[in-house]
Amino acid sequence: MSSPRNRKLAPPELPADLARAALEAAGSVVFVTGRDGTIIWVNEAFSAFTGWSPEEAIGQNPRILQSGLHDRHYYARLWSEITRGHCFSSRVVNRRRDGALYTVAQTVTPLPRGSANPTHFVAFQEDVSAEVEAARELEYLAYTDTLTGLGNRRSLMERLDEVWRRREPVALLLMDMDDFKGINDRYGHEEGDEALRRIARMFRDEGLGHSAYRLGGDEFVVVLNGADARDVSAAEGRAWAVRSAVVARNSVAAGSRLSLSAGLAFAPAHARDSSSLLRAADLALARAKASRSGVEVYTAALGRAAARDMAIRQDLERAMAGGGLSLAYQPIRSLNSGATVALEVLLRWHHPRYGEIAPAEFIPVAERSGQIGALGDWTLARALRYYGRELRHSGIRLHVNVSPYQLRDALFASRLARLLAAERLPGNVLDIEVTESAELQGAGAGEVLEAVGRLGVGVIIDDFGAGFARLGSLADLPLTGLKLDRGLVTELTRSRRHRELLAGIIGLAHSSGLRVIGEGVETPDEAELLRSIGCDEGQGYYFGAPHAGTLREPVAS
Ligand code: C2E
Ligand code: CA
Ligand code: CA
């Protein structure tokens, strides 16, 4: 078939001997067979590539090249196409004379071309083994964690999808190292990587090479096939065995043992898809970490707590935008005169579904979710507005709680300055209360507090004596006051030694120019004892519970 265009482009005739020489010298494998398929001619590349010399190949059937990997239908189709005059192109895996397999892209063309009654066939073969190898390598990389050689997250997900399809019960054991960051920090990333590889090796040694996956970082998953949620203890036993095997056999550079925490979750009992199964195992793992218990199994209660956590996270935005959140004010009184010297601002949240949610619950959620910055600004703005309207010239101070997470924000002090300016208030009407904590020591909190102090705002350490009672570590902070935790106050009535100790601490605080406030004062006894050991101020139900303030909080602004 030749169109006018083809005619125009048709190459000049090639002399027959030149055409043959060209085929002979071609880089691709070329061979010609008769009508019955017997090889009658092969080029140099054929011999070089397949290992069959022309003398050996000629007279044979191309079957000598077959790898056995293609079924009879493949050859039947090939034969049926070419005998009807059609070209047939495909990828074929062939076998060399020495037995090695290779992949070629092959085109078989009947001669004369297009004839329904061909007399010969010519086959062209292009070696594509390298390409096939590269594709295989890519596939391997896509499913393998290159550091450890274990399957990666994607390969785990596909494995789980397969398990769902077959409706098989399965359990996931999610593990991570207890102090991976510490290992990296102390011994370097090389050692951290080596620790991960050692864990992977252990999985292989335990015969878990095909059930273990690394999800990234120091997170590993072992799939426990056939684990049944009705027999938690059996699976838990397997979980402990796996974990103990890792811990027993692995130590880090300096000889200290690696330790792992693990969370266990079952499907279909705990989850209906792969990602929720992983999430359930993750919740169990978080519990194991928090309680340092080693292995924990997912429970419905854990799930409910997480759901509530999530609801708090989501609803907090809405509550800030309008509704539910409000501020309460609790008096702080002079222990000598009984006069109200300050008010502490306390957040209140009435949730449409859960009712009252305590700040002790939602503040930590907001700290974890990063919402604490916005919530803190919300509180400061409203408290200062309230103060500006109601207490501007009262001489009463305003105490606002500030999370250490808020102090990680270098711009905290400048925002605070703006909020004060917006209400035309000087800094010295305000005190911020910060809980003594590890967070307070790191990440620039000191500088932020310095900047807060320069505004004239007081800085008070809250819950003093509840946890981290390290006076020394507080010496570097620009403090103006100390709030004794309720625990210290109740101890007062119980032991004389305790009273003396506390009197000493108060004396020390006074010598550094700090105000001292006792909190959680519930009885006249406590108030009197505090006064007698030199404490300046008191706060608690005895002096007055938190109240809504004289001004209703605006619902939205
Ligand atoms: P906190 O700063 O130590 O606040 C004192 C807590 O003790 C308040 O609980 C208060 O209602 C309660 N309380 C007052 N008097 C007494 C008493 O005589 N006996 C007893 N047993 N308790 C008393 P609340 O309001 O539930 O706040 C709990 C914690 O939540 C606060 O502890 C504070 O750490 C945090 N919080 C509250 N509001 C805020 C806020 O606006 N920002 C930040 N960052 N944290 C806040
Ligand atoms: Ca406080
Ligand atoms: Ca406190």
Side-chain angles (χ1 to χ4, degrees):
M1 283 279 192
S2 57
S3 66
R5 202 163 143 262
N6 281 350
R7 247 202 312 273
K8 212 169 73 195
L9 290 177
E13 280 292 300
L14 193 62
D17 50 347
L18 199 53
R20 186 186 166 121
L23 281 180
E24 188 67 71
S28 322
V29 170
V30 184
F31 63 93
V32 178
T33 74
R35 199 196 145 72
D36 63 351
T38 307
I39 297 173
I40 60 164
W41 184 82
V42 303
N43 71 349
E44 280 168 21
F46 178 96
S47 299
F49 201 74
T50 64
W52 297 98
S53 68
E55 296 73 34
E56 292 168 321
I58 289 169
Q60 296 273 11
N61 188 285
R63 231 175 272 135
I64 56 170
L65 303 176
Q66 285 183 12
S67 61
L69 289 179
H70 302 278
D71 59 13
R72 267 191 301 129
H73 301 293
Y74 168 80
Y75 295 103
R77 218 173 81 236
L78 164 71
W79 197 243
S80 127
E81 287 293 317
I82 61 179
T83 49
R84 281 187 292 141
H86 300 144
C87 291
F88 188 83
S89 297
S90 64
R91 291 208 158 191
V92 205
V93 179
N94 281 347
R95 190 184 296 281
R96 281 184 232 278
R97 191 174 181 194
D98 65 11
L101 297 178
Y102 62 97
T103 309
V104 291
Q106 168 177 268
T107 300
V108 181
T109 306
L111 297 172
R113 202 154 155 220
S115 162
N117 193 13
T119 55
H120 294 84
F121 303 103
V122 55
F124 291 84
Q125 297 185 337
E126 204 69 60
D127 178 26
V128 293
S129 300
E131 197 183 302
V132 168
E133 196 46 51
R136 208 173 284 146
E137 180 72 8
L138 272 182
E139 161 112 354
Y140 173 80
L141 287 177
Y143 289 94
T144 309
D145 170 56
T146 47
L147 181 71
T148 60
L150 297 177
N152 62 11
R153 175 182 295 268
R154 177 168 170 192
S155 114
L156 171 68
M157 286 315 195
E158 292 196 3
R159 161 105 173 246
L160 289 177
D161 288 345
E162 187 55 37
V163 168
W164 296 112
R165 258 196 300 280
R166 293 203 303 257
R167 298 170 184 279
E168 288 169 357
V170 70
L172 275 199
L173 183 63
L174 178 62
M175 280 174 280
D176 84 22
M177 267 192 241
D178 287 334
D179 187 25
F180 187 51
K181 194 179 170 304
I183 291 173
N184 277 324
D185 290 351
R186 281 194 300 280
Y187 308 118
H189 287 266
E190 275 303 310
E191 188 60 32
D193 286 354
E194 181 50 31
L196 296 173
R197 280 191 291 260
R198 268 202 299 268
I199 289 179
R201 224 172 293 139
M202 193 285 320
F203 285 137
R204 283 191 207 100
D205 292 351
E206 293 288 308
L208 295 168
H210 293 287
S211 338
Y213 298 80
R214 174 166 171 251
L215 299 190
D218 59 336
E219 277 195 327
F220 293 88
V221 159
V222 173
V223 175
L224 302 177
N225 269 336
D228 193 330
R230 280 166 304 188
D231 191 2
V232 171
S233 58
E236 221 181 331
R238 284 165 76 186
W240 275 106
V242 170
R243 179 184 173 276
S244 312
V246 180
V247 172
R249 294 233 222 122
N250 287 286
S251 53
V252 265
S256 63
R257 282 231 184 290
L258 287 180
S259 90
L260 291 176
S261 294
L264 185 62
F266 295 82
H270 297 153
R272 276 155 208 228
D273 60 50
S274 307
S275 44
S276 41
L277 181 58
L278 207 51
R279 220 174 306 126
D282 200 30
L283 287 175
L285 171 61
R287 160 59 71 84
K289 285 225 159 226
S291 63
R292 299 175 169 277
S293 56
V295 179
E296 289 282 340
V297 182
Y298 175 86
T299 62
L302 266 184
R304 276 195 302 274
R308 181 168 160 124
D309 219 86
M310 186 55 90
I312 286 177
R313 236 170 242 222
Q314 283 164 357
D315 299 342
L316 200 51
E317 296 295 331
R318 212 170 310 140
M320 276 189 274
L325 276 181
S326 62
L327 299 180
Y329 298 86
Q330 185 175 31
I332 297 172
R333 294 190 199 271
S334 159
L335 290 172
N336 283 314
S337 71
T340 298
V341 294
L343 291 176
E344 179 178 7
V345 178
L346 295 163
L347 264 169
R348 295 290 173 261
W349 187 7
H350 185 87
H351 188 275
R353 183 145 46 101
Y354 297 118
E356 300 299 325
I357 303 182
E361 179 175 4
F362 68 79
I363 298 276
V365 174
E367 287 176 340
R368 284 197 298 276
S369 68
Q371 292 164 304
I372 191 67
L375 183 59
D377 288 352
W378 186 95
T379 304
L380 275 165
R382 270 156 191 76
L384 289 172
R385 186 179 314 150
Y386 170 76
Y387 188 91
R389 286 185 199 169
E390 298 287 313
L391 299 164
R392 184 175 290 278
H393 302 295
S394 63
I396 290 174
R397 305 179 65 81
L398 189 69
H399 283 217
V400 176
N401 293 288
V402 170
S403 154
Y405 290 87
Q406 289 172 263
L407 300 176
R408 285 185 187 172
D409 178 358
L411 298 177
F412 176 77
S414 59
R415 276 206 313 282
L416 179 55
R418 230 173 306 140
L419 290 170
L420 284 162
E423 301 298 332
R424 290 171 292 108
L425 289 170
N428 63 11
V429 302
L430 181 68
D431 289 284
I432 63 168
E433 296 188 4
V434 284
T435 307
E436 48 167 354
S437 64
E439 282 86 3
L440 211 55
Q441 312 299 331
E447 281 95 87
V448 174
L449 284 180
E450 295 284 355
V452 166
R454 283 196 294 274
L455 300 173
V457 173
V459 177
I460 291 177
I461 284 294
D462 202 352
D463 303 333
F464 179 80
F468 266 82
R470 298 220 319 270
L471 268 179
S473 66
L474 298 176
D476 297 334
L477 299 174
L479 304 181
T480 58
L482 216 56
K483 212 175 201 188
L484 307 177
D485 185 64
R486 166 162 168 72
L488 291 185
V489 174
T490 39
E491 279 296 312
L492 271 185
T493 52
R494 301 208 182 114
S495 110
R496 187 193 149 84
R497 239 183 77 73
H498 188 78
R499 274 201 293 282
E500 285 164 6
L501 198 70
L502 208 53
I505 290 173
I506 292 171
L508 214 60
H510 282 160
S511 68
S512 317
L514 304 182
R515 274 163 75 201
V516 182
I517 307 158
E519 79 173 339
V521 180
E522 294 184 348
T523 66
D525 275 5
E526 287 171 349
E528 175 48 30
L529 282 169
L530 274 176
R531 194 196 58 77
S532 72
I533 58 170
C535 186
D536 306 293
E537 297 160 21
Q539 176 184 6
Y541 299 151
Y542 172 64
F543 294 115
H547 58 82
T550 47
L551 211 160
R552 285 192 141 263
E553 284 303 313
V555 169
S557 64

